[in-house]
């Protein structure tokens, strides 16, 4: 498979690659010249003037909207993902006509190509150019995919996740040495709501939501979901989490990470397992703890000099002149209507040793004490202290650094929001708990392929800093932005000379990075 701009012949030679780069530069200059702000007289008519519009059917040229999909297929093939799925997952007695990997990629590619629901596969399977782009005679329809999801048992879903992680190891093997300094595992649960009344396993959650309560274990450095477990809606967040934390630790050790950090909120402190995790070389944990009476009494009994002020760094550095902050409209509405508001007046940190009842060892507990002001309108009603506690086996880091690190776990909420609303992968698309679990794992592969594309972007020596910035940008991109910038590239699909060519028809600023990625994937990097 080759992805090239028009009239280019691929990446088989340096000459062809250089020609593609020149064409990219020409398109970039042409577009930037067109949109550059220039003084000009006032226009007598609106800018958008097209009026005499006609539609026609192409006779020879055949176009595809998600032209970046070919690169995702190359990633799946070159990382060994397709082979790993077919080797580890055995749900079909006969392959008539599909393999297990066909079903899995079909669901993931549906979301990459802009679909939002399982039913949107019908649009793709009726697109002959899309089928040609995948080299497929046909692809499964929505009903067939639903039947495939219902074939799963719990052990099959675990096999699928391990197959994906096998391919993930190949991706990580291409990373520089500093990538393996630390793996930060964030653990949390999230509610997946559904209005359906006949889905097996749904239940009512603590907030009245009907649905499921999946557990998500993510790698903070890349945003990938390493493990995902679906559970009934009324199950607590931490239930069964220790088993998936163990799996994630084993995976990170297999990948070669020198240090592994576990982070979670108060639901995941799971004190019965702390001694076991703390005994593993290179594993550290930092969990929130409920502010129970014993911990609050210890915090209040500390001498005043045990506390130090917590200085939070600015969220970002201003690169230009600071701009005037807009008026806080909501705050003014709250004040005018006389609602109670809570303001943080100061934050102080301290620490003490503590042995939970379920532990045989003593651990370090960092306490964050907040002095809060409670106002009603413009009147200060009272001030009070509130405490947050964090338990860790890290004896070296400063207490304030641990508090800031624990707060960094909040970024996992952004990853979960992308899995729920951006991809969207966390959906109750089928009819029972395990089949929906299988669908969530297959759908979240679309988010995983985005991360792998970023990690596999090559860095050329002369442009290393620029290319590293592109890699960071791809990792941090929201899924919709990534799809618009990298996947939704209109192209022609051309077959000839034993090649399948994605001929790109337009330019955008991310096209150069995509072509570098394809060049690497075709260059024998494994």
């Amino acid at each position: 498979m080759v992805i090239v701009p028009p009239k280019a012949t691929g990446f088989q030679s340096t000459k062809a690659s250089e020609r593609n780069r020149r064409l990219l530069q020409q398109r970039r200059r042409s577009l930037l010249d067109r949109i550059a702000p220039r003084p000009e007289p006032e226009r007598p008519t609106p800018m958008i003037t097209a009026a005499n519009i006609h539609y026609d059917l192409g006779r020879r040229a055949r176009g595809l909207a998600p032209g970046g999909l070919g690169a995702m297929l190359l990633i799946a093939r070159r990382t060994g993902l397709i082979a790993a799925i077919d080797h580890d997952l055995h749900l079909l007695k006969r392959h008539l006509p599909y393999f297990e990997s066909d079903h899995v990629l079909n669901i993931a590619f549906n979301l990459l190509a802009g679909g939002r629901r399982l039913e949107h596969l019908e649009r793709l399977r009726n697109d002959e150019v899309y089928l040609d782009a995948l080299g497929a005679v046909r692809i499964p329809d929505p009903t067939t995919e639903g039947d495939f999801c219902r074939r799963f048992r719990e052990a099959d879903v675990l096999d699928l996740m391990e197959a994906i992680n096998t391919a993930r190891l190949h991706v990580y093997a291409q990373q520089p040495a500093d990538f393996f300094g630390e793996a930060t595992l964030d653990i949390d649960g999230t509610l997946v709501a559904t209005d359906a009344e006949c889905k097996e396993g749904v239940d009512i959650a603590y907030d009245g939501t009907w649905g499921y309560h999946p557990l998500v274990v993510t790698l903070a450095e890349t945003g990938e979901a390493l493990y995902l477990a679906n559970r009934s809606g009324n199950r607590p967040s931490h239930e069964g989490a220790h088993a998936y934390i163990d799996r994630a630790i084993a995976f990170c050790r297999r990948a070669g990470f020198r240090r592994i950090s576990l982070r979670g909120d108060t639901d995941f402190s799971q004190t019965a397992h702390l001694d076991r995790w703390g005994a593993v070389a290179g594993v550290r944990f930092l969990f929130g703890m409920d502010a129970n009476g014993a911990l609050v009494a210890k915090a209040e009994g500390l001498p005043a000099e045990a506390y130090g002020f917590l200085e939070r760094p600015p969220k970002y550095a201003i690169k230009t002149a600071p701009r005037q902050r807009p008026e806080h409209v909501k705050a003014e509405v709250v004040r005018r209507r006389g609602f109670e508001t809570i303001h943080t007046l100061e934050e102080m940190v301290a620490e003490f040793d503590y042995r939970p009842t379920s532990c045989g060892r003593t651990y370090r507990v960092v306490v964050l004490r907040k002095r809060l002001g409670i106002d009603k309108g413009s009147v200060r009603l009272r001030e009070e202290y509130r405490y947050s506690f964090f338990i860790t086996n890290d004896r070296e880091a400063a207490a304030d650094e641990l508090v800031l690190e624990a707060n960094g776990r909040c970024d996992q909420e952004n990853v979960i929001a992308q899995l729920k609303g951006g991809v969207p992968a966390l959906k109750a698309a089928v009819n029972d708990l395990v089949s929906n679990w299988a669908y969530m794992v297959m759908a979240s592969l679309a988010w995983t392929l985005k991360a792998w594309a970023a990690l596999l972007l090559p860095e050329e020596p002369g442009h290393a800093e620029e290319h590293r910035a592109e890699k960071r940008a791809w990792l941090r991109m929201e899924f919709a932005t990534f799809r618009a910038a990298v996947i939704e590239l209109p192209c022609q699909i051309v077959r000839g000379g034993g090649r399948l060519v994605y001929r790109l028809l337009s330019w955008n600023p991310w096209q150069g990075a995509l072509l570098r990625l394809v060049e690497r994937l075709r260059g024998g990097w494994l």
Side-chain angles (χ1 to χ4, degrees):
M1 182 185 303
V2 186
I3 300 182
V4 297
K7 299 183 181 178
T9 58
F11 291 96
Q12 288 79 1
S13 68
T14 304
K15 182 177 180 181
S17 301
E18 190 58 38
R19 183 162 60 248
N20 288 336
R21 291 187 176 92
R22 285 199 303 270
L23 183 54
L24 282 175
Q25 290 297 324
Q26 291 172 9
R27 289 183 173 185
R28 178 178 181 273
R29 286 194 296 268
S30 175
L31 178 64
L32 293 181
D33 179 70
R34 182 169 181 169
I35 64 176
R38 296 188 182 90
E40 58 180 82
E42 184 176 355
R43 293 179 59 88
T45 59
M47 180 65 74
I48 299 175
T49 58
N52 190 21
I53 296 172
H54 299 267
Y55 280 86
D56 196 3
L57 292 178
R59 291 165 177 79
R60 298 186 62 184
R62 292 152 30 92
L64 176 72
L69 207 60
M72 302 299 108
L73 181 54
L74 275 176
I75 291 174
R77 193 169 302 283
R78 295 308 305 275
T79 58
L81 174 64
I82 294 175
I85 292 172
D86 289 331
H87 181 270
D88 294 348
L89 188 62
H90 304 287
L91 298 177
L92 307 171
K93 292 183 178 180
R94 303 181 67 187
H95 300 119
L96 290 174
Y98 306 113
F99 278 67
E100 285 82 355
S101 61
D102 294 324
H103 289 281
V104 174
L105 291 182
N106 193 36
I107 289 176
F109 284 180
N110 175 42
L111 301 175
L112 281 164
R116 305 281 295 177
R117 303 168 59 88
L118 199 58
E119 292 85 346
H120 293 166
L121 278 169
E122 193 65 31
R123 170 182 62 92
L124 296 177
R125 70 186 299 267
N126 284 284
D127 185 341
E128 189 176 10
V129 184
Y130 178 83
L131 299 178
D132 288 344
L134 298 184
V137 176
R138 57 185 179 272
I139 59 175
D141 63 18
T143 302
T144 303
E145 287 298 16
D147 291 340
F148 180 73
C149 291
R150 283 184 282 273
R151 288 176 177 265
F152 278 83
R153 298 296 178 263
E154 181 176 342
D156 300 320
V157 184
L158 294 174
D159 288 341
L160 175 58
M161 289 192 287
E162 295 302 343
I164 294 172
N165 282 337
T166 298
R168 203 186 310 271
L169 290 174
H170 290 292
V171 177
Y172 290 177
Q174 309 303 315
Q175 304 311 305
D178 58 359
F179 176 81
F180 300 96
E182 182 173 19
T184 306
L185 300 175
D186 290 328
I187 308 99
D188 203 359
T190 185
L191 293 176
V192 172
T194 175
D195 294 330
E197 297 186 3
C198 300
K199 291 187 186 291
E200 181 271 327
V202 298
D203 209 327
I204 189 166
Y206 65 93
D207 63 352
T209 300
W210 281 93
Y212 297 107
H213 193 182
L215 171 77
V216 185
V217 181
T218 61
L219 181 63
E221 285 73 17
T222 64
E224 299 168 89
L226 301 183
Y227 288 97
L228 192 156
N230 197 21
R231 303 167 301 185
S232 180
N234 74 331
R235 306 316 303 157
S237 285
H238 64 273
E239 184 174 83
H242 65 279
Y244 291 95
I245 293 174
D246 290 341
R247 285 177 174 269
I249 291 173
F251 167 78
C252 290
R253 289 172 67 87
R254 207 161 70 243
F257 287 98
R258 295 183 290 276
R259 182 162 125 166
I260 302 170
S261 295
L262 310 178
R263 295 192 304 193
D265 60 23
T266 57
D267 288 332
F268 295 92
S269 53
Q270 301 189 89
T271 54
H273 304 282
L274 295 185
D275 287 349
R276 182 164 53 82
W277 292 330
V280 180
V283 174
R284 62 191 286 268
F285 55 78
L286 179 60
F287 293 115
M289 293 195 73
D290 288 323
N292 58 46
L295 290 177
V296 172
K298 271 185 166 291
E300 291 178 340
L302 293 174
E305 58 270 19
Y307 284 92
F309 285 99
L310 173 65
E311 297 291 340
R312 293 188 180 272
K315 294 182 179 180
Y316 53 87
I318 299 175
K319 297 181 179 180
T320 58
R323 290 184 288 182
Q324 182 178 357
R325 294 181 65 85
E327 180 184 357
H328 287 185
V329 177
K330 287 185 177 179
E332 175 57 27
V333 171
V334 169
R335 186 199 62 78
R336 188 171 63 249
R337 295 189 179 179
F339 297 137
E340 284 194 8
T341 57
I342 302 176
H343 306 279
T344 300
L345 304 179
E346 70 176 16
E347 295 181 300
M348 305 192 77
V349 293
E351 60 181 88
F352 53 84
D353 286 340
Y354 180 73
R355 185 176 68 84
T357 305
S358 301
C359 294
R361 298 171 54 187
T362 298
Y363 294 102
R364 181 185 184 190
V365 170
V366 176
V367 54
L368 171 64
R369 186 181 72 183
K370 293 186 178 184
R371 184 164 66 90
L372 304 176
I374 293 87
D375 299 342
K376 187 171 185 179
S378 301
V379 178
R380 172 64 50 84
L381 298 180
R382 64 187 183 279
E383 293 183 3
E384 63 183 46
Y385 286 116
R386 291 186 186 175
Y387 296 90
S388 298
F389 299 93
F390 309 93
I391 188 168
T392 181
N393 61 341
D394 187 340
R395 295 284 183 176
E396 298 178 1
D400 54 350
E401 293 177 359
L402 291 172
V403 171
L404 297 177
E405 182 182 351
N407 293 160
R409 191 203 61 81
C410 296
D411 189 53
Q412 191 192 24
E413 297 294 336
N414 297 324
V415 175
I416 292 175
Q418 287 300 302
L419 290 173
K420 292 179 74 171
V423 177
L426 303 185
K427 296 190 68 173
V430 210
N431 69 321
D432 62 56
L433 189 145
V434 176
S435 61
N436 278 305
W437 181 9
Y439 177 82
M440 292 175 188
V441 172
M442 290 186 282
S444 65
L445 182 58
W447 176 258
T448 297
L449 288 171
K450 165 190 168 293
W452 291 0
L455 292 173
L456 294 175
L457 271 180
E459 299 176 11
E460 297 178 356
H463 307 277
E465 188 58 39
E466 176 188 350
H467 292 171
R468 275 194 292 270
E470 288 178 340
K471 180 178 290 191
R472 289 192 297 268
W474 277 25
L475 276 176
R476 298 293 300 174
M477 267 187 190
E478 293 186 349
F479 188 76
T481 304
F482 177 80
R483 196 173 57 225
V486 179
I487 304 300
E488 294 173 358
L489 302 175
C491 69
Q492 286 179 284
I493 300 299
V494 182
R495 286 182 174 275
R499 298 186 306 155
L500 177 60
V501 180
Y502 285 59
R503 181 164 290 160
L504 301 178
L505 301 177
S506 64
W507 178 87
N508 74 30
W510 296 104
Q511 196 175 98
L514 176 68
L515 293 178
R516 288 201 330 273
L517 172 63
V518 173
E519 185 172 3
R520 181 184 189 185
L521 293 170
R522 289 180 47 78
W525 56 277
L526 280 179

